[in-house]
């Protein structure tokens, strides 16, 4: 069973990545022109092939360029991994377009 973290565990992007990786999200994904690419197994996924199990937004203290989002993704063949992107005006348009087509995006409540 996946643990739900407290806000104290998830204050920085690095802390959040470490926690989510400990929960089994060990694959690294990146966007390509063809779709979401697994860097470890070089498999390509389309929006209908994935579920976003959770996502986390981080805001820079003084610079909007520091805003980021972390997606915890599970694929239809059981691969669990992470995709990071800028958030807001600096977001990658390919990631935004891809995520708009994903049908299952969940947000789990983080305990205070």
């Amino acid at each position: 069973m996946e643990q739900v973290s407290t806000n104290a565990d998830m204050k920085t992007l690095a802390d959040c990545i470490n926690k989510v990786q400990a929960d089994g999200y060990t694959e690294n994904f990146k966007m390509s022109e063809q779709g979401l690419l697994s860097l470890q197994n070089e498999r390509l996924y389309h929006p209908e092939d994935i579920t976003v199990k959770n996502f986390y937004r981080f805001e820079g203290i003084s610079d909007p360029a520091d805003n980021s989002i972390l997606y915890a993704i599970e694929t239809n063949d059981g691969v669990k991994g992470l995709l990071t992107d800028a958030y807001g005006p600096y977001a990658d348009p390919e990631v935004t377009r891809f995520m708009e087509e994903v049908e299952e995006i969940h947000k789990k409540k983080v305990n205070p």
Side-chain angles (χ1 to χ4, degrees):
M1 181 175 173
E2 242 177 84
Q3 272 187 323
V4 177
S5 299
T6 65
N7 284 334
D9 296 336
M10 312 291 257
K11 288 194 181 212
T12 68
L13 178 60
D15 289 341
C16 189
I17 288 172
N18 289 335
K19 172 64 180 114
V20 178
Q21 285 178 331
D23 288 341
Y25 291 85
T26 56
E27 192 82 10
N28 291 305
F29 294 109
K30 80 171 196 173
M31 285 306 305
S32 74
E33 290 181 12
Q34 296 79 28
L36 187 68
L37 179 66
S38 161
L39 296 179
Q40 281 84 348
N41 68 21
E42 298 182 356
R43 174 135 189 227
L44 192 64
Y45 297 96
H46 301 284
E48 63 273 11
D49 298 329
I50 72 160
T51 300
V52 175
K53 294 296 194 173
N54 209 346
F55 60 92
Y56 311 88
R57 290 185 187 134
F58 299 90
E59 294 183 15
I61 294 173
S62 61
D63 185 356
D66 291 340
N67 293 349
S68 59
I69 187 165
L70 175 68
Y71 297 99
I73 295 171
E74 187 168 349
T75 66
N76 58 357
D77 60 353
V79 174
K80 292 168 68 173
L82 303 172
L83 174 68
T84 58
D85 189 22
Y87 184 74
Y90 298 102
D92 181 334
E94 286 185 26
V95 173
T96 301
R97 218 174 0 265
F98 184 89
M99 288 301 169
E100 286 173 349
E101 294 180 25
V102 173
E103 291 185 18
E104 289 194 55
I105 297 180
H106 306 278
K107 178 67 182 154
K108 293 182 182 174
K109 183 178 180 185
V110 177
N111 295 333

